RNA sequence: GCUCUGGUGGUGGAAUGGUAGACACGAGGGACUUAAAAUCCCUUGUCCGCAAGGACGUGUGGGUUCAAGUCCCACCCGGAGUACCA
């Protein structure tokens, strides 16, 4: 009987489904292991071959762990809320829930065909009310907690209020808690403490999508989805105070087993920088003899008596080189300090800067712009008067939005000073005596290596010592202190869209209140128009039943809103990352209706042992999830600080496009790639990879492909049309999308699984290329044949040796996540065993178990053919016997390193030559090499002889 | 600019510091077949040689080592992330 995958694959898929082979229990004496894939967004296009790559790798690992006796949690679900379904709804009127349901069904069908070992009874969908009630629940907890910097964890907001009421802590604001009105108190808690808070913040507004986007959803001033321009806009939005966790998010990276590159991406995104906060006093205006803005402006929470403002610098050592100050255009002090003469110019600049699009601002980074306010500050260490400027190279969102400019030692300040002809003063030099005139410089000296010069009391010190000394000095003077700044921003959590989780929030007197937890889930209301309303409100503004009856604790019609008992509900919805931030915990206990997940379940599973997914989530999902997890940890729900212990990034699969070459003179003539002179005569045209095999074009299929090619004629080489190829993004428009279903139909799921692994290391990005799939298919046929021709006899030494080499290699490979070499190992094994003639059932049974993680269908079938009644999944992973790998005993102490190479320690009193001769003689006498001499015997120092066999 | 990656045959890629190019594709040759498909065998880094054999070879230049694709330093070229972050 031939290898007939069409028959065996559906057979075993049905068997697994009926027997619940992959059902996983929370109640087990076995050790636990949690293998997780990043769940997919079910798009309309279905799966392409890139999606299953990571799933196959994690499935191999999950199956391997099961065979090793672990209780393995290996679930799958859908990140079902998202923009494409909503945009499709706007275009067609089709409700996103329907589109999503359809896409999920298609995904499931495709996934099932590949033979994954998911426990589908644990499936979660982010758009399912039984799931998102816990997303909403977490939001309520975030709203009701603050970050206590002393305890270094989230605490209930009531704890803080209690302390404020008792006077144990003072407010940061000017008013004391007792003097505040209720509204002021709520605003105070909201602005400074709640981990989920509503605030007027500059946001990324995308007019095209009609919504706000998070920082990681914007690249180069364009939206990641769709590439539409994004503007800066001040809006009242929900945010998550993720910055409170910045330090812990950074520290946690040392605890996890991730790649250095991904940890680095996160470190950069969090962007910790150490420096100093310094308050610069404002100078007396010489005309009016008054400090500008003195009455109106006192630096908030300033430690200094006189009017002053705070700056952040990483180079406090350069404070003697400050020649001007710069404020960002949004700085609230500008209006108060600008002198009458400068006012018109400053206002014009601020207006211009604010209206500039993000895109313009970023593309014109090198263009220097700015304006003088007319006001001056005092350098607290030198008492010099220094001018205050406004420029948009200072950003509102970082530090305090104000800087001290040291043009000699900062390239941006340098460019600004040159442009506006401001003084430049050298205060750092590579050597203490190497001082030159900055007017002759072509660039600033930014290096931190060197010595302070012209710098008062720190002159002559190394830069690092000068930093310390200056910080100590300003600290002693009470005008500043050492501080840390993070680049990480709070995560904007509102989206002006329909297809997302509703906020469990209603508004009483414009003040947000959470709906009671027992009323969750707050279900997404039905609407039919998915566009923003005429008044510019989010789509939920169309809902007619979207008001909160506080008394009856239920959702009622909008018409009942009276502002006394019935109130409007929040109209925006949560972003995509809300649902994906905690889904891995929900898999542990997916049907629990009392809690997010039970303590019993979370205590058993702890956290994800292995997480597989793309690195493109480095600054999004993987940061938000870690934050979410740390918050739940603070609440005592998650047992571990870090959600994902080990993380493997599968490389992106790129497309491999094929080209035909159309003659420039004759539109119907196509010239084969290697015909001499072709390049000048032709233009390349994308051709569907499905009508090309091993870069050879199927001429008939090409003529049939599109009407315009029906009359095509060809100039061939060796009777064939050879296509060109190039690596590009996998996309429909380049005709290079490979659908896994087609390959499953042609070669079977096992071949697809093996081939995707064989393609190269899982972590590496690589183009999809079907050219080698035949080789893997041939291997499986060969493997099948080994079983067909098996012998019922005891296993003999040569086959056992091959078997045990294979066991060792495969086990090592899986542990190292090196699945491409595993496939090679199987091929070598099959070739070697094939050469022996007929193989014993005993050895074949072990082989079936070994290959089960990779090619589960064929393994299952062969395992049963050997007479087993149970699934191969219940078998035990073989353990290799080292004795099998060494042919015979040696008279020297020997270590075998797994390759055909021996290391042995030389007994005392033997010379090198004697030892080498003895080893060679032994090899011959004991037939280590079937009677051949070792290829090479090398003597190396420290008494080790290295024998290459 | 900064950070992280990677650079090995015609191609995808192997190689705990220890025979560089495993395994596979492609290519060439052969067997079986009326033929095709399928299957099997041989050759396949480059150069010299009829051959035995020899020389050269992992982006470039240095270094460490008995031994370097692998470790260190500098440079060149790809890919990714990030970017007026003070």
């Amino acid at each position: 009987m031939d290898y007939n995958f069409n028959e065996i694959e559906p057979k075993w898929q049905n068997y697994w489904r009926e027997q619940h082979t992959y059902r996983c229990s929370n109640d087990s004496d076995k050790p636990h292991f949690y293998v997780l894939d990043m769940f997919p967004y079910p798009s309309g296009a279905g799966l392409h071959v890139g999606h299953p790559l990571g799933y196959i790798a994690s499935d191999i690992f999950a199956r391997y762990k099961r065979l090793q006796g672990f209780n393995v949690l290996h679930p799958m679900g859908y990140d079902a809320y998202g923009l494409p379904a909503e945009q499709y709804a706007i275009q067609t009127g089709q409700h996103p829930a329907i589109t999503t349901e359809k896409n999920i069904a298609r995904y499931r069908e495709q996934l099932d065909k590949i033979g994954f070992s998911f426990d589908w009874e644990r499936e979660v969908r982010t758009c399912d009310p039984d799931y998102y009630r816990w997303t909403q629940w977490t939001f309520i907890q975030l709203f009701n907690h603050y970050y206590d910097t002393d305890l270094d964890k989230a605490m209930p907001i009531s704890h803080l209020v209690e302390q404020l009421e008792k006077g144990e802590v003072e407010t940061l604001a000017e008013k004391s808690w007792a003097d505040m009105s209720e509204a002021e108190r709520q605003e105070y808690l909201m602005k400074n403490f709640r981990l989920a808070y509503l605030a007027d913040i500059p946001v990324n507004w995308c007019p095209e999508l009609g919504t706000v986007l998070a920082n990681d959803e914007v690249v180069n001033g364009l939206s990641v989805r769709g590439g539409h321009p994004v503007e800066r806009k001040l809006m009242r939005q929900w945010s998550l105070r993720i910055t409170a966790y910045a330090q812990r998010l950074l520290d946690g990276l040392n605890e996890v087993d991730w790649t250095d590159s991904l940890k680095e991406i996160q470190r950069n995104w969090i962007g910790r920088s150490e420096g100093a906060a310094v308050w610069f006093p404002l100078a007396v205006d010489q005309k009016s003899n008054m400090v500008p803005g003195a009455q109106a402006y006192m630096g908030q929470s300033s430690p200094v008596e006189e009017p002053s403002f705070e700056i952040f610098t990483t180079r406090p050592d350069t404070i003697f080189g400050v020649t001007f100050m710069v404020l960002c255009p949004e700085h609230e002090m500008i209006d108060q300090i600008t002198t009458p003469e400068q006012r018109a110019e400053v206002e014009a600049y601020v207006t211009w800067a604010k209206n500039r699009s993000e895109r313009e601002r970023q593309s014109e980074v090198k263009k220097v712009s700015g304006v003088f306010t007319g006001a001056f500050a005092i350098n607290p260490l030198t008492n010099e008067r220094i001018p205050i400027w406004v420029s948009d190279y200072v950003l509102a969102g970082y530090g305090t939005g104000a800087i001290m400019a040291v043009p000699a030692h900062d390239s941006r300040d340098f460019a600004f000073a040159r442009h506006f002809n401001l003084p430049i003063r050298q205060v750092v030099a590579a050597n203490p005596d190497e001082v030159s005139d900055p007017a002759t410089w072509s660039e600033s000296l930014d290096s931190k290596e060197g010595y302070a010069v012209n710098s008062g009391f720190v002159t002559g010190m190394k830069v690092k010592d000068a930093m310390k000394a200056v910080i100590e000095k300003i600290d002693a003077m009470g005008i500043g202190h050492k501080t840390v700044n993070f680049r990480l921003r709070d995560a904007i959590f509102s989206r002006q869209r329909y297809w997302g989780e509703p906020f469990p929030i209603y508004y009483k007197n414009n003040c947000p209140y959470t709906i009671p937890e027992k009323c969750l889930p707050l279900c997404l209301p039905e609407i039919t128009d998915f566009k923003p309303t005429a008044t510019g409100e989010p789509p939920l503004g169309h809902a007619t039943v979207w008001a909160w009856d506080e008394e009856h604790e239920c959702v009622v019609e909008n018409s009942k809103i009276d502002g006394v008992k019935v109130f409007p509900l929040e109209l925006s919805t949560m972003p995509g990352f809300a649902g994906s931030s905690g889904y891995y915990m929900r898999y542990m206990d997916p049907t629990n209706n009392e809690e997010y997940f039970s303590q019993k379940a979370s205590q058993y599973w702890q956290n994800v042992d292995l997480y597989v997914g793309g690195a493109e989530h480095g600054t999004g999902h993987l940061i938000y999830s870690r934050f979410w997890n740390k918050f739940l940890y603070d609440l005592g729900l998650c047992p571990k600080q870090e959600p994902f212990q080990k993380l493997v990034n599968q490389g992106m699969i790129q497309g491999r496009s094929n080209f035909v070459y159309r003659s420039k003179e004759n539109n119907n003539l196509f010239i084969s790639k290697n015909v001499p002179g072709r390049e000048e005569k032709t233009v390349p045209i994308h051709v569907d990879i499905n009508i090309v095999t091993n870069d050879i074009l199927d001429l008939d299929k090409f003529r049939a492909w599109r009407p315009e090619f029906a009359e095509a004629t060809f100039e061939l080489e060796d009777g064939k049309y050879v296509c060109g190829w190039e690596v590009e993004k996998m996309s429909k428009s380049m005709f290079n999308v490979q659908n896994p279903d087609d390959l499953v139909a042609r070669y079977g799921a096992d071949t697809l699984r093996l081939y995707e692994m064989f393609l190269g290391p899982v972590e590496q990005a690589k183009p999809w290329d079907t050219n080698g799939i035949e080789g893997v298919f041939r291997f499986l046929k060969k493997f099948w044949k080994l079983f067909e021709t098996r012998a019922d006899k005891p296993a003999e030494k040569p086959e056992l040796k091959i078997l045990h080499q294979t066991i060792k290699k495969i086990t090592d490979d899986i542990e190292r996540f090196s699945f491409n070499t595993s496939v090679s190992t199987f091929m070598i094994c099959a070739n070697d065993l094939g050469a022996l003639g007929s193989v014993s059932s005993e050895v074949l049974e072990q082989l079936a178990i070994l290959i089960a993680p990779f090619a589960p269908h064929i393994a299952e079938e062969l395992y049963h053919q050997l007479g087993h009644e149970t699934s191969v999944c219940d078998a035990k992973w073989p353990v290799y016997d080292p004795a099998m790998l060494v042919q015979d005993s040696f008279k020297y102490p020997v270590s075998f390193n797994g390759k055909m190479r021996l290391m042995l320690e030389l007994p005392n009193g033997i010379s090198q030559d004697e030892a080498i001769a003895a080893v060679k003689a032994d090899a011959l006498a004991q037939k280590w090499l079937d009677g051949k001499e070792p290829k090479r015997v090398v003597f190396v120092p420290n008494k080790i002889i290295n024998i290459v066999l």
Side-chain angles (χ1 to χ4, degrees):
Chain A
M1 200 176 72
D2 283 343
Y3 169 47
N4 187 351
F5 58 85
N6 275 325
E7 203 173 288
I8 64 174
E9 291 185 353
K11 172 174 146 194
W12 290 106
Q13 284 164 12
N14 285 334
Y15 174 90
W16 296 328
R17 195 178 304 118
E18 282 160 15
Q19 302 289 318
H20 302 282
T21 306
Y22 305 120
R23 181 190 272 164
C24 150
S25 161
N26 286 354
D27 214 355
S28 169
D29 300 333
K30 293 179 185 175
H32 58 88
F33 202 89
Y34 187 175
V35 182
L36 181 65
D37 293 292
M38 291 185 186
F39 62 169
Y41 172 75
S43 84
L47 290 173
H48 64 67
V49 289
H51 291 105
L53 182 81
Y55 302 160
I56 294 168
S58 62
D59 196 57
I60 289 170
F61 206 83
R63 287 173 179 274
Y64 163 72
K65 279 286 171 187
R66 254 185 229 119
L67 288 165
Q68 280 205 325
F70 285 82
N71 184 29
V72 176
L73 175 54
H74 187 42
M76 183 48 86
Y78 303 98
D79 187 13
Y81 275 134
L83 203 49
E86 180 156 344
Q87 296 209 296
Y88 189 73
I90 292 172
Q91 285 161 19
T92 63
Q94 175 98 275
H95 195 284
I98 296 169
T99 327
T100 304
E101 184 70 40
K102 219 161 70 189
N103 292 346
I104 285 178
R106 166 112 178 89
Y107 266 57
R108 177 64 191 274
E109 196 186 321
Q110 287 186 298
L111 290 170
D112 280 349
K113 277 189 191 160
I114 303 173
F116 292 115
S117 64
F118 298 126
D119 178 1
W120 283 106
E121 288 167 42
R122 290 176 184 256
E123 176 186 326
V124 302
R125 299 176 185 191
T126 53
C127 66
D128 182 347
D130 283 336
Y131 176 85
Y132 69 64
R133 67 185 288 185
W134 302 109
T135 309
Q136 293 174 331
W137 180 86
T138 310
F139 178 82
I140 293 175
Q141 309 313 310
L142 285 162
F143 182 80
N144 287 328
H145 282 75
Y146 76 106
Y147 199 84
D148 189 310
T149 45
D150 293 331
L151 299 171
D152 217 11
K153 63 181 284 201
M155 291 294 287
I157 203 103
S158 56
H159 178 258
L160 175 70
V161 171
E162 209 173 284
Q163 285 181 314
L164 285 164
E165 276 168 1
K166 286 188 190 154
E168 286 169 8
V169 280
E170 284 183 23
T171 60
L172 305 167
E174 281 160 53
K175 270 194 183 174
S176 71
W177 184 255
D179 293 340
M180 287 184 185
S181 68
E182 180 56 27
E184 281 171 331
R185 285 175 176 180
Q186 287 307 322
E187 184 60 26
Y188 174 72
L189 293 176
M190 182 76 89
K191 191 177 168 204
N192 300 297
F193 291 97
R194 291 187 189 278
L195 289 175
Y197 64 98
L198 196 56
D200 291 309
I201 36 174
V203 296
N204 306 303
W205 171 254
C206 180
E208 199 71 30
L209 297 175
T211 187
V212 157
L213 298 170
N215 275 348
D216 69 283
E217 294 170 316
V218 182
V219 173
N220 287 331
L222 298 175
S223 66
V224 172
R225 284 233 178 252
H228 305 295
V230 171
E231 303 169 357
R232 277 326 259 187
K233 198 172 162 185
L234 207 64
M235 284 178 76
R236 198 158 173 81
Q237 297 289 315
W238 285 102
S239 291
L240 300 187
R241 206 177 298 275
I242 188 170
T243 48
Y245 282 82
Q247 188 61 50
R248 276 169 67 186
L249 287 169
L250 197 60
D251 294 341
L253 291 173
N254 299 327
E255 312 299 318
V256 293
D257 187 11
W258 295 13
T259 60
D260 289 340
S261 84
L262 191 67
K263 285 198 240 186
E264 209 52 38
I265 288 172
Q266 293 218 338
R267 286 196 188 105
N268 289 342
W269 187 257
I270 296 167
R272 180 191 154 102
S273 46
E274 286 181 18
V278 188
W279 277 266
F280 276 68
L282 290 160
V284 174
D285 181 52
Q286 285 166 333
K287 244 185 218 161
S288 63
N289 215 16
M290 281 172 44
V291 175
Q295 298 86 346
Y297 183 76
M298 289 284 281
Q300 269 197 340
S301 65
S302 162
V304 194
E305 286 299 314
E306 65 263 37
S308 58
F309 62 101
E310 184 187 355
I311 60 99
F312 172 74
T313 178
T314 54
R315 294 295 301 273
D317 58 300
T318 61
I319 194 164
F320 291 92
V322 177
T323 54
F324 56 100
M325 310 293 289
V326 187
L327 308 177
C328 67
E330 293 85 359
H331 205 284
E332 52 181 353
M333 195 174 77
I334 294 172
D335 191 42
Q336 293 152 30
I337 61 165
T338 302
T339 57
E341 303 82 69
Q342 294 299 109
R343 185 157 296 271
E345 208 185 324
V346 168
E347 278 174 2
Y349 180 76
V350 168
T351 311
W352 173 80
K354 280 185 180 165
N355 286 336
R356 237 168 136 207
S357 75
E358 244 340 68
R359 182 119 188 93
E360 275 172 341
R361 208 182 60 74
Q362 290 193 2
S363 61
E364 293 168 14
V365 159
K366 291 211 174 74
K367 225 168 126 187
V368 178
S369 70
V371 63
F372 177 45
T373 59
F376 289 82
I378 303 282
N379 184 329
L381 291 192
T382 62
N383 289 322
E384 281 172 291
R385 279 167 66 87
I386 40 185
I388 303 173
W389 287 66
V390 176
S391 172
D392 66 354
Y393 85 87
V394 176
L395 303 178
Y398 186 77
T400 58
I403 62 155
M404 63 177 212
V406 186
H409 306 292
D410 181 284
S411 56
R412 296 149 304 178
D413 298 344
F414 184 83
F416 195 83
R418 274 284 157 84
H419 188 261
F420 289 107
N421 222 356
L422 295 161
I424 301 172
R425 187 187 306 154
Q426 181 175 14
V427 290
V428 175
N431 288 302
D433 45 355
E434 266 181 33
V435 179
S436 58
D437 181 2
T440 64
W441 295 4
S442 61
E443 58 181 11
S444 57
L445 179 69
D446 292 9
S447 169
K448 285 184 191 175
E449 302 298 318
Y451 298 83
V453 296
N454 298 330
S455 299
F457 71 98
V458 295
T459 299
M461 287 187 194
K462 279 192 173 172
V463 164
K464 270 185 191 152
D465 301 327
M467 282 186 187
K468 251 182 157 173
V470 170
I471 290 174
E472 274 166 27
K473 176 83 176 172
I474 58 173
D475 216 341
M477 290 168 72
I479 54 158
H481 55 83
K482 188 175 169 172
T483 186
V484 173
N485 240 300
F486 292 96
R487 207 195 70 117
L488 184 73
R489 308 289 157 82
D490 283 343
I492 298 162
F493 206 61
S494 307
R495 295 293 181 276
Q496 287 64 40
R497 303 201 300 229
Y498 170 69
W499 191 231
E501 298 86 349
F503 281 84
I505 290 287
Y506 63 96
Y507 291 91
K508 204 153 76 173
N509 301 324
N510 269 333
C511 188
Y513 289 84
T514 57
I515 68 167
E517 284 175 22
K518 64 177 183 208
C519 301
L520 297 177
L522 178 66
C523 289
L524 189 64
E526 288 298 319
I527 57 171
T528 49
D529 183 353
F530 304 98
K531 289 192 286 289
T533 65
T535 53
E537 283 182 327
L540 275 186
H542 292 298
T544 49
V545 187
W546 196 239
W548 186 251
D549 184 330
E550 198 176 49
E551 193 179 75
H552 300 98
E553 300 191 322
C554 62
V555 178
V556 296
E557 291 86 24
N558 297 16
S559 55
K560 294 194 177 160
I561 293 175
D562 56 13
V564 183
K565 284 178 182 160
V566 180
F567 305 96
L569 281 154
E570 169 69 49
L571 295 181
S572 48
T573 56
M574 298 188 197
F577 66 81
S580 60
S581 289
Y583 78 110
Y584 56 90
M585 291 307 288
R586 184 65 180 170
Y587 279 134
M588 295 176 183
D589 195 8
T591 53
N592 194 331
N593 280 326
E594 309 299 316
E595 311 165 83
Y596 205 159
F597 45 85
S598 73
Q599 281 302 292
K600 184 174 165 262
S602 62
Q603 283 303 326
Y604 178 70
W605 293 110
Q606 297 281 312
N607 63 356
V608 177
D609 293 287
L610 174 68
Y611 197 24
V612 179
E616 66 271 21
H617 298 108
T619 54
H621 163 63
L622 288 172
I623 288 261
Y624 299 127
S625 266
R626 293 181 59 223
F627 159 70
W628 200 270
N629 192 80
K630 283 177 194 300
F631 174 65
L632 293 177
Y633 173 86
D634 286 352
L635 300 193
L637 296 179
C638 286
K640 288 271 180 81
Q641 281 250 22
E642 285 294 330
F644 314 120
Q645 195 52 47
K646 182 181 166 78
L647 187 129
V648 172
N649 290 122
Q650 97 258 26
M652 245 224 306
I653 297 245
Q654 298 141 300
R656 184 183 189 275
S657 310
N658 275 117
F659 295 89
V660 292
Y661 301 95
R662 172 189 261 171
S663 161
K664 285 177 189 163
E665 281 119 45
N666 177 354
N667 263 351
N668 279 333
L669 178 64
F670 295 86
I671 303 179
S672 186
K673 184 183 164 217
N674 303 311
V675 171
R678 186 223 83 218
E679 269 185 56
E680 298 81 58
K681 290 190 281 192
T682 57
V683 282
I685 300 176
H686 277 98
V687 61
D688 190 339
I689 56 162
N690 290 304
I691 60 172
V692 178
T693 311
N694 286 340
D695 294 335
I696 307 298
L697 182 68
D698 185 319
L699 303 183
D700 293 332
K701 283 186 186 163
F702 180 70
R703 290 198 190 93
W705 183 39
R706 305 182 119 198
E708 53 175 312
F709 301 136
E711 303 295 315
T713 55
F714 303 94
E715 195 174 325
L716 306 177
E717 50 181 302
D718 301 332
K720 285 179 280 196
Y721 190 97
V722 179
C723 299
W725 61 272
E726 229 168 87
V727 173
E728 296 174 301
K729 214 184 140 202
M730 200 175 272
S731 116
K732 267 187 188 167
S733 63
M734 295 171 188
F735 307 109
N736 60 6
V737 176
Q738 180 76 59
N739 177 320
D741 304 18
D742 296 342
L743 292 171
V744 169
R746 201 153 143 211
Y747 298 103
D750 286 337
T751 299
L752 176 75
R753 290 171 63 106
L754 285 171
Y755 185 60
E756 290 228 11
M757 293 300 100
F758 185 68
L759 213 49
V762 179
E763 298 91 335
Q764 192 176 302
K766 53 208 168 250
W768 178 260
D769 174 1
T770 316
N771 286 350
I773 198 166
E774 292 281 350
V776 171
F777 188 50
R778 266 178 222 142
F779 155 72
L780 278 180
K781 284 191 281 195
K782 225 179 277 179
F783 192 78
W784 178 267
K785 211 167 162 200
L786 280 180
F787 285 72
E788 293 274 287
T789 57
R790 69 178 178 270
D792 284 316
K793 55 165 189 189
E796 282 164 25
K797 190 103 198 219
E799 35 181 334
L800 284 174
K801 198 180 146 195
I802 295 167
L803 172 70
H804 283 266
Q805 271 171 5
T806 307
I807 296 172
K808 179 170 182 0
K809 191 78 189 4
I810 295 292
T811 309
D812 287 352
D813 284 345
I814 296 178
E815 293 286 348
R816 289 190 300 139
F817 233 75
S818 172
F819 301 130
N820 55 330
T821 52
S822 311
V823 179
S824 295
T825 305
F826 281 123
M827 289 176 174
I828 295 166
C829 173
N831 283 340
D832 289 353
L833 288 178
L836 291 180
S838 138
V839 182
S840 72
S841 305
E842 188 189 329
V843 166
L844 290 175
E845 182 187 313
Q846 301 289 298
L847 274 183
I849 300 168
L850 279 182
I851 209 167
F854 299 85
H857 309 86
I858 194 172
E860 197 80 88
E861 174 69 24
L862 294 172
Y863 192 68
H864 277 72
Q865 284 186 12
L866 292 174
H868 290 274
E869 299 283 316
T870 54
S871 164
V872 71
C873 301
D874 298 326
K876 233 180 134 242
W877 188 254
V879 179
Y880 85 97
D881 178 359
M884 286 291 173
L885 301 183
V886 181
Q887 267 155 330
D888 282 295
S889 62
F890 292 84
K891 59 180 165 187
Y892 312 111
V894 168
S895 75
F896 184 77
N897 73 356
K899 293 169 67 175
M900 292 300 283
R901 185 171 295 119
L902 295 164
M903 307 280 278
L904 54 134
E905 205 168 319
L906 205 60
N908 285 327
I910 293 187
S911 78
Q912 298 179 21
D913 291 342
E914 277 169 354
I916 291 169
V919 167
K920 282 188 175 175
D922 259 18
L924 284 173
Q926 303 197 17
K927 299 203 162 119
W928 300 343
L929 298 167
D930 306 321
K932 278 178 281 181
E933 259 198 30
K935 241 185 183 172
R936 214 175 58 149
V937 178
V938 187
F939 186 86
V940 292
N942 61 16
K943 291 189 180 176
I944 299 290
I945 278 192
N946 184 359
I947 306 166
V948 180
L949 299 181

